[in-house]
Amino acid sequence: MPSTVSSIDIANMALGFIGTRTIASLTENTIEAIQCRLFWDRARRAVLRDYPFPFAQQRVSLAQKEVPEVYSGEWKYAYGYPRNCLKIHRVHGQGKEKRWQAIPFIINNVDGVLHVFANIQPAQAEITVDNTDLSLADDAFGLALARKLACLIAIPLLKNNQNKVQEVEQLYQMGMQSLQSQAASEQEEDEPADTWLLTRM
């Protein structure tokens, strides 16, 4: 269910986690607001990469490209890296029967352009996109973003309080582990766990 938590709520939760004063607006000219603005997008993208929140998940068809000669001995097909993609979780063939047959793939830079290499054609991918619309996010994402933002602003705001910095980092990691456990328990029996989960369990 979408969250009603706003960006200012998330920022103030982050400030609360590290024990500093809260703010009335992200645009105000205080050190707390300045640091929240500075690290906001970095924190948001990091959280989206760390966990596949449903509001930022998409399935896309990959656009085929010519395989560079240096890769031709290992990979049969090359594809363009999906637009607005933060992370590729799985590459697979088209059709329901092929969805859960995860195909090995790599991502490499070819002349300044990211390419996806796989031995399947055509190819689709399950990806996390850089979704900035918080109205679609749930409370779990809002809390995770507040914790991650706290991790990033703790050092410039607290400076020498290393214990507090470690405390908020542990809080974020514990939250991620809890989300992983919940996701694993909700998997349907006829669907294998996401490769994202398998690499962490």
Side-chain angles (χ1 to χ4, degrees):
M1 181 174 186
S3 172
T4 58
V5 178
S6 66
S7 56
I8 188 64
D9 292 329
I10 293 171
N12 278 327
M13 280 194 289
L15 294 168
F17 284 135
I18 63 176
T20 63
R21 63 184 178 181
T22 57
I23 58 178
S25 169
L26 280 167
T27 60
E28 67 183 39
N29 192 30
T30 61
I31 185 63
E32 291 83 7
I34 290 171
Q35 292 301 321
C36 285
R37 290 198 304 270
L38 178 62
F39 288 103
W40 179 269
D41 276 333
R42 291 177 177 85
R44 181 184 55 79
R45 289 192 294 265
V47 173
L48 290 176
R49 282 190 292 266
D50 282 347
Y51 183 82
F53 290 94
F55 82 100
Q57 301 311 296
Q58 288 185 7
R59 181 183 303 166
V60 297
S61 295
L62 299 178
Q64 190 168 347
K65 292 179 172 290
E66 183 178 350
V67 179
E69 184 177 351
V70 292
Y71 294 94
S72 61
E74 182 180 0
W75 300 101
K76 295 180 181 178
Y77 306 104
Y79 300 92
Y81 194 80
R83 185 177 181 183
N84 203 35
C85 177
L86 289 177
K87 185 174 183 178
I88 296 179
H89 297 277
R90 185 190 302 114
V91 171
H92 55 78
Q94 294 182 355
K96 183 178 180 181
E97 70 282 357
K98 296 181 179 179
R99 180 184 174 193
W100 295 106
Q101 298 174 4
I103 302 300
F105 70 95
I106 64 167
I107 301 166
N108 273 358
N109 183 328
V110 179
D111 297 329
V113 178
L114 287 180
H115 282 55
V116 181
F117 295 94
N119 290 330
I120 189 171
Q121 180 197 44
Q124 293 184 334
E126 309 289 335
I127 69 172
T128 292
V129 297
D130 189 7
N131 193 337
T132 61
D133 187 356
L134 295 185
S135 68
L136 300 175
D138 59 14
D139 289 331
F141 174 79
L143 184 58
L145 178 52
R147 288 173 171 172
K148 186 63 177 181
L149 184 59
C151 293
L152 297 179
I153 65 177
I155 293 177
L157 291 181
L158 301 181
K159 301 193 185 317
N160 295 324
N161 193 343
Q162 189 62 36
N163 289 337
K164 192 65 176 181
V165 172
Q166 293 177 353
E167 180 183 317
V168 294
E169 289 176 348
Q170 290 173 358
L171 187 65
Y172 176 73
Q173 293 301 329
M174 289 172 59
M176 287 294 104
Q177 291 172 6
S178 177
L179 286 173
Q180 293 170 28
S181 298
Q182 293 174 29
S185 67
E186 290 174 354
Q187 287 288 334
E188 295 183 13
E189 291 184 0
D190 62 341
E191 295 181 349
D194 193 301
T195 51
W196 179 92
L197 290 170
L198 291 174
T199 59
R200 290 162 172 77
M201 292 176 60

